[in-house]
């Protein structure tokens, strides 16, 4: 098309314009450029234009530009589509930037930058794993606060079980409180102060 070539891979010492060499050729011995007399005719050189962003060539077809597939991108500076980093992918074809490589599906970006299943106390928000916070469990992909008297164990809300001589204040989150002096409980897991009974030889007094 008579446009200037952008190829500049010259043989050592070339171009030297010896004898008014105003044309060029590629020497097959080294496959490098050399200036050449225009009076000589040889096979012509085709320069393949680069692919548009979101497209690239393949090993099977190094000439045709085809849309980058899912999990690949090309910003236009590469001959081939570039694969997304490990554990990342794209939501579709023809991606044009590495920023298009994201966590997909139910996976979220973890603290180490990789994609994976979030922890039991986390949900996916804008493709990032986010911790629910104190005294909350994950239910159907949402953070739900535990009921009064419950705490989170292993990502699940369970009733707080206080030991002998203690009872739950039924807060959110709850706290185990000690029975009044000279009082105890008959079992673990007391739900309120009324489960505290006087020890032998003592009786409750009214305020």
């Amino acid at each position: 098309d008579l446009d200037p070539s952008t190829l500049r891979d010259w043989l050592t010492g070339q171009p030297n314009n010896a004898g008014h060499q105003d044309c060029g050729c590629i020497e097959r011995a080294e496959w490098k450029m050399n200036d050449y007399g225009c009076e000589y005719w040889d096979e012509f050189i085709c320069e393949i234009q680069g692919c548009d962003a979101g497209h690239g060539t393949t090993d099977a077809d190094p000439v045709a530009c085809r849309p980058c597939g899912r999990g690949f991108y090309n910003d236009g500076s590469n001959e081939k589509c570039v694969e997304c980093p490990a554990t990342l992918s794209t939501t579709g074809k023809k991606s044009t930037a590495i920023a298009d490589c994201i966590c997909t599906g139910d996976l979220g970006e973890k603290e180490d930058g990789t994609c994976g299943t979030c922890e039991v106390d986390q949900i996916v928000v804008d493709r990032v794993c986010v911790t629910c916070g104190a005294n909350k469990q994950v239910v159907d992909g949402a953070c739900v606060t535990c009921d009064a008297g419950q705490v989170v164990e292993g990502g699940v809300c369970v009733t707080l079980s206080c030991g002998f001589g203690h009872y739950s204040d039924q807060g959110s989150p709850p706290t185990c409180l000690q029975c009044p002096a000279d009082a105890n409980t008959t079992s673990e897991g007391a739900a309120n102060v009324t489960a505290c009974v006087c020890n032998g030889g003592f009786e409750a007094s009214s305020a």
Side-chain angles (χ1 to χ4, degrees):
D1 60 4
L2 301 182
D3 286 339
S5 172
T6 58
L7 181 62
R8 294 293 182 271
D9 192 14
W10 294 99
L11 281 167
T12 302
Q14 302 298 333
N16 60 6
N17 197 31
H20 302 291
Q21 295 173 322
D22 297 326
C23 293
C25 68
I26 292 181
E27 298 285 356
R28 295 181 179 178
E30 298 185 41
W31 292 107
K32 291 182 178 292
M33 289 183 66
N34 186 12
D35 53 351
Y36 203 60
C38 294
E39 65 272 21
Y40 300 103
W41 288 81
D42 208 337
E43 292 85 1
F44 60 85
I45 301 171
C46 292
E47 182 181 28
I48 300 175
Q49 299 295 323
C51 297
D52 294 334
H55 297 72
T57 61
T58 63
D59 291 334
D61 188 350
V63 177
C65 294
R66 303 182 185 280
C68 296
R70 188 183 299 273
F72 291 80
Y73 71 95
N74 191 356
D75 59 8
S77 64
N78 302 285
E79 179 182 342
K80 298 179 180 179
C81 297
V82 181
E83 188 172 8
C84 290
T87 73
L88 301 181
S89 187
T90 59
T91 57
K93 299 180 179 180
K94 301 182 181 180
S95 295
T96 59
I98 191 172
D100 296 330
C101 298
I102 57 176
C103 299
T104 58
D106 295 330
L107 304 181
E109 182 178 341
K110 309 183 84 172
E111 291 184 359
D112 60 3
T114 61
C115 289
T117 303
C118 298
E119 303 297 329
V120 294
D121 60 344
Q122 294 180 324
I123 61 173
V124 178
V125 178
D126 293 332
R127 301 186 177 91
V128 177
C129 293
V130 177
T131 302
C132 282
N135 216 43
K136 293 183 178 181
Q137 68 175 345
V138 178
V139 178
D140 295 331
C143 295
V144 178
T145 302
C146 296
D147 293 336
Q150 292 186 323
V151 293
V152 176
E153 291 184 2
V156 180
C157 293
V158 296
T159 300
L160 176 65
S161 181
C162 299
F164 282 102
H166 294 77
Y167 64 95
S168 172
D169 66 354
Q170 296 299 302
S172 182
T175 302
C176 288
L177 302 178
Q178 188 171 5
C179 287
D182 301 318
N184 208 335
T185 59
T186 58
S187 63
E188 295 181 338
N192 53 61
V193 69
T194 58
C196 298
V197 296
C198 295
N199 294 329
F202 293 88
E203 61 182 27
S205 60
S206 58

